[in-house]
């Protein structure tokens, strides 16, 4: 339960049967992959947590009560460095009994190790280069203002898109990576609202998934809990739904 700057061994993080509990996939892909030297982590009572120091973000998995306890331990031990957290669904309310929690967002960590069936519109997908960054940014700002990553991000390995009849962007998405582990992450998938219902987002998502599985053996993504269309699409593509999470900020009282 003590904070440590030693690199945690996989066996430490998977102790107490943690691999069978809530957050197992996030733990495997987010923490139990190649680990940065010097990462600060905690574990105990059926939960594990680790600090993404560059963001001031504590990731925690396991049983909600134990996970909330580790988040509190991290916030109390590093009050000037811990600004936000992610944990299993319900940890925001538990942490909120002791600290001021704002802006909770419920989401699901999903993953697949299978290439999906080829979508009929995948032949329209093209890869975009650095010269298209301004075009991509304008498209994302217009059609997905809350996009999780943007053109020029060091975490992105490729941008893909579908163009309309006049050459304009009608859909785009990226293959990025989880900051702490480098696991492939599909991100910032957006479709022109006027073009929705044509399967463009499904084609792009299927293509990106196939690229990630072919290169890395798996693909991960984050899905907002209330996004019903995405829920149906990702389930159809074979993404497993096992880790309901919540993220929130910690603010001074």
């Amino acid at each position: 339960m003590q904070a440590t700057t030693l690199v945690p061994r996989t066996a430490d993080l998977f102790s107490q049967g943690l691999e069978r509990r809530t957050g197992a996939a996030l733990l495997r892909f987010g923490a139990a992959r190649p680990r940065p030297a010097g990462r600060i982590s905690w574990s105990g009572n059926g939960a594990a947590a680790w600090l993404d120091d560059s963001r001031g973000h504590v990731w925690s998995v396991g049983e909600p009560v134990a996970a909330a306890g580790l988040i509190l331990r991290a916030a109390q031990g590093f009050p000037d460095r811990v600004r936000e957290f992610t944990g299993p669904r319900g940890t925001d309310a538990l942490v909120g009994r002791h600290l001021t929690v704002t802006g909770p967002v419920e989401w699901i960590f999903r993953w697949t190790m299978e290439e999906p069936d080829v979508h009929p519109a995948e032949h329209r997908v093209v890869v975009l280069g650095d010269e298209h960054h301004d075009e991509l940014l304008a498209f994302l700002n217009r059609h997905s203002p809350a996009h999780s990553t943007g053109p020029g991000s060091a975490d992105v390995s490729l941008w893909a898109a579908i163009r309309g009849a006049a050459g304009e962007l009608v859909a785009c998405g990226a293959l990025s990576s989880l900051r702490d582990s480098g696991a492939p992450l599909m991100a910032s998938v957006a479709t022109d609202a006027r073009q929705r219902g044509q399967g463009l987002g499904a084609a792009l998502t299927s293509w990106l998934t196939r690229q990630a599985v072919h290169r890395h053996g798996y693909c991960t993504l984050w899905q907002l809990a209330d996004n019903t269309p995405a829920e149906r699409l990702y389930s159809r593509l074979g993404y497993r739904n096992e880790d309901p999470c919540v993220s929130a900020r910690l603010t001074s009282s």
Side-chain angles (χ1 to χ4, degrees):
M1 296 291 289
Q2 295 296 316
T4 176
T5 56
L6 297 176
V7 180
R9 299 187 303 275
T10 300
D12 296 332
L13 291 172
F14 281 84
S15 61
Q16 305 173 59
L18 191 61
E19 72 279 4
R20 296 187 296 274
R21 303 186 185 188
T22 301
L26 184 58
L27 179 66
R28 285 198 300 274
F29 297 128
R33 294 279 165 174
R35 297 168 294 281
R39 184 177 62 191
I40 301 172
S41 66
W42 303 260
S43 64
N45 299 327
W50 60 100
L51 175 63
D52 179 349
D53 210 3
S54 64
R55 293 175 56 196
H57 192 111
V58 173
W59 295 85
S60 186
V61 300
E63 297 301 318
V65 172
L70 296 183
I71 293 168
L72 289 169
R73 182 179 294 274
Q76 292 164 357
F78 300 94
D80 298 327
R81 291 160 68 177
V82 175
R83 299 183 296 277
E84 55 190 36
F85 67 89
T86 290
R89 196 77 51 83
T91 50
D92 54 323
L94 294 168
V95 173
R97 296 175 183 175
H98 306 276
L99 300 174
T100 302
V101 174
T102 60
V105 176
E106 294 187 345
W107 56 282
I108 303 165
F109 182 80
R110 306 190 67 160
W111 61 278
T112 183
M113 299 178 73
E114 303 294 332
E115 293 188 24
D117 293 335
V118 176
H119 189 282
E122 279 190 47
H123 68 280
R124 297 180 59 185
V125 177
V126 295
V127 176
L128 302 184
D130 293 349
E131 68 275 17
H132 300 107
H133 280 185
D134 290 344
E135 182 184 18
L136 276 167
L137 183 58
F139 182 83
L140 287 168
N141 286 339
R142 186 178 309 116
H143 299 290
S144 183
H147 53 274
S148 57
T149 192
S153 170
D155 297 329
V156 173
S157 59
L158 71 82
W159 283 95
I162 296 177
R163 294 190 179 276
E168 76 283 9
L169 287 182
V170 293
C172 75
L175 275 185
S176 184
S177 59
L178 290 171
R179 184 187 301 266
D180 207 28
S181 69
L185 175 76
M186 183 163 51
S188 296
V189 176
T191 303
D192 187 325
R194 298 166 296 183
Q195 304 287 335
R196 288 175 184 162
Q198 301 181 37
L200 302 179
L204 190 64
T205 301
S206 179
W207 187 91
L208 287 167
T209 300
R210 183 171 295 100
Q211 292 294 310
V213 173
H214 181 72
R215 294 181 182 189
H216 305 281
Y218 63 100
C219 187
T220 71
L221 60 83
W222 302 337
Q223 176 211 314
L224 291 176
D226 60 358
N227 191 336
T228 302
E231 167 76 25
R232 290 195 294 263
L233 172 60
Y234 296 145
S235 295
R236 193 163 65 245
L237 291 177
Y239 279 88
R240 298 179 66 167
N241 179 347
E242 298 175 345
D243 293 338
C245 303
V246 63
S247 297
R249 293 189 62 82
L250 295 172
T251 60
S252 301
S253 302

